[in-house]
Amino acid sequence: MNYDYDVIIIGAGPAGLGLANFLSRSNLKILLLDKKKNAGDVQYNIAGTFIDPKDFDLPAEAFNPIKQAYICSKNKTFLVKAHGYIIDRRKLLQHLETKASVSSLNNSWV
């Protein structure tokens, strides 16, 4: 078995998969390490962000817009206008995994 890699990425979350996708356009041999079996094997499925998915060529179906949010404390509740998104992490990570895998299968997911 050959263990000769140019880049080793530890963690297959959004940043790790995004980096794997970016680097897969080169001729580098990449090893992606993560404790998950694949991108769909996530501990929690929901996250939030204020980035616009269109700015990063991300799938719209993984993002649900937020127009307002309640901020609650022990004594008060505030309604604030917001411009953000709830992320379906499973859909996002599966999209990034597919994109990275399709770009170059010279790479390994361990």
Side-chain angles (χ1 to χ4, degrees):
M1 185 172 214
N2 186 358
Y3 293 103
D4 186 23
Y5 294 96
D6 299 308
V7 177
I8 298 173
I9 301 170
I10 300 171
L17 285 169
L19 180 60
N21 179 47
F22 177 77
L23 292 175
S24 68
R25 299 176 194 144
S26 67
N27 288 328
L28 298 173
K29 189 171 178 186
I30 302 163
L31 175 64
L32 180 59
L33 300 171
D34 197 276
K35 63 183 175 184
K36 296 185 302 289
K37 295 175 189 164
N38 58 49
D41 183 24
V42 293
Q43 297 271 329
Y44 60 95
N45 193 34
I46 302 296
T49 186
F50 293 104
I51 67 165
D52 189 334
K54 291 178 274 188
D55 292 344
F56 294 92
D57 192 30
L58 298 173
E61 64 272 4
F63 293 80
N64 297 299
I66 300 169
K67 303 217 187 235
Q68 59 186 18
Y70 286 97
I71 300 175
C72 303
S73 72
K74 181 179 175 182
N75 299 319
K76 291 207 174 212
T77 298
F78 298 94
L79 177 63
V80 295
K81 292 187 186 253
H83 179 73
Y85 299 88
I86 299 294
I87 303 169
D88 182 325
R89 286 188 83 239
R90 184 169 285 117
K91 285 182 183 177
L92 175 61
L93 293 175
Q94 287 172 334
H95 167 80
L96 292 171
E97 178 184 32
T98 299
K99 218 170 159 186
S101 297
V102 168
S103 298
S104 83
L105 287 193
N106 185 24
N107 305 323
S108 301
W109 173 298
V110 177

